[in-house]
Amino acid sequence: MTSLQFDKEKRKRKKTYATFIIAFLSFSILLAAVSFLILLKSVNFKLSNLVDRKTTAVTEETQTESDTAPVSYSGSANVLTICSNSNRELKFFGVLYMDMNAKLLSVQSFETDTVITLDGIETDFEKVYSSSGAEGLVQAVEKCYGVKLDRFLDVTETNFKSIVSYLGDVEIESDEKINYKGNDYILILDEGVQSATGDTVLSYFKYLDADGRSRLFADVLDYYINTSKLTASQETFDRLINKVNTNISAKDFSLYSSTADAFFKDSLRKKTAVISNTAEVTDNG
């Protein structure tokens, strides 16, 4: 986790990040499963641009014709995950961090109404997204939190539910019984572990604060990976890539899907970590 901290001195020593693009679900969090799926599927983008941290996907020679060669990998990448409504209003967002050397994924969510200063003007993330879209939000997060973002995944609420439907219901856990009826969503959950549809997961993301969304994002990712519902197959990539606005290419996946598959199946991969939303916002005015 040390390598993922927002430490300015360490960021200066590691100015560039090898891009290991994976799949999603979300974002902000998700997009939970979406983000993770597509990031892993589009791994190691622009290897020639790496400095000090080389991302590799090396297949060792097999001992026999029937043996499957192991894949080794290293490096790191950061992906901004975004969820918006039908009016393209920002609902929640976060960053998915991958540390390949540590075999670790980490997630961090942010509040959309956080007040920030960009180019001397006071604003917030909602306004930035409304005026400049995903690209503008990437720049705002990079400037305010000092983190380099390699790619972004932007999904609408409708497509988020569709993605969860494709991957299958997910098991989530609630610390309490919830019966909430808001203006734009309803959330009914029992206490404990339970199966949830895409509509329920989306409502739960809306209900939680930033730290709660990070925990939910992590749980959803781990569930899909550990149950093998999330796979680096061409069919899955083709079904999901058109449901998100992203700067991840199909070429990335075709070149490095074997590395993504190796990460999914790695028995040494750690449980997804949660980074608390306590990072200081930098005044860039």
Side-chain angles (χ1 to χ4, degrees), residues 76-112:
S76 61
N78 304 323
V79 176
L80 184 69
T81 58
I82 306 164
C83 186
S84 59
N85 63 15
S86 58
N87 296 321
R88 301 305 298 170
E89 298 171 330
L90 181 64
K91 302 307 295 183
F92 45 83
F93 75 107
V95 178
L96 177 64
Y97 307 94
M98 169 168 279
D99 186 337
M100 296 294 289
N101 298 318
K103 299 183 183 299
L104 176 68
L105 282 171
S106 299
V107 294
Q108 181 175 23
S109 300
F110 304 99
E111 298 295 357
T112 61

Side-chain angles (χ1 to χ4, degrees), residues 1-7 28 77-78 93-99 104-111 145 147 209-218 271-280:
M1 186 69 67
T2 302
S3 62
L4 301 176
Q5 301 303 314
F6 291 103
D7 184 278
S28 87
N78 304 323
F93 75 107
V95 178
L96 177 64
Y97 307 94
M98 169 168 279
D99 186 337
L104 176 68
L105 282 171
S106 299
V107 294
Q108 181 175 23
S109 300
F110 304 99
E111 298 295 357
Y145 290 100
V147 59
D209 61 10
D211 286 343
R213 288 193 295 272
S214 294
R215 290 190 294 272
L216 177 58
F217 190 5
K271 181 179 180 180
T272 300
V274 172
I275 300 177
S276 180
N277 186 23
T278 57
E280 179 181 355

Side-chain angles (χ1 to χ4, degrees), residues 2 15 40 43 77 86 95-96 104-105 113 134 138 173 195 247 262 273:
T2 302
K15 294 182 179 179
L40 281 181
V43 69
S86 58
V95 178
L96 177 64
L104 176 68
L105 282 171
D113 59 355
V138 166
E173 183 174 7
S195 179
N247 52 0

Side-chain angles (χ1 to χ4, degrees), residues 18-75:
T19 306
F20 185 101
I21 306 302
I22 66 175
F24 172 59
L25 237 203
S26 216
F27 85 77
S28 87
I29 357 165
L30 180 314
L31 296 146
V34 152
S35 296
F36 182 63
L37 174 63
I38 300 181
L39 174 58
L40 281 181
K41 291 176 183 171
S42 306
V43 69
N44 292 347
F45 186 81
K46 291 185 179 178
L47 296 178
S48 60
N49 291 339
L50 303 187
V51 177
D52 291 333
R53 294 189 290 89
K54 297 181 179 179
T55 300
T56 60
V58 180
T59 303
E60 299 176 1
E61 295 184 356
T62 57
Q63 299 301 315
T64 68
E65 292 182 357
S66 61
D67 290 339
T68 300
V71 177
S72 61
Y73 41 78
S74 63

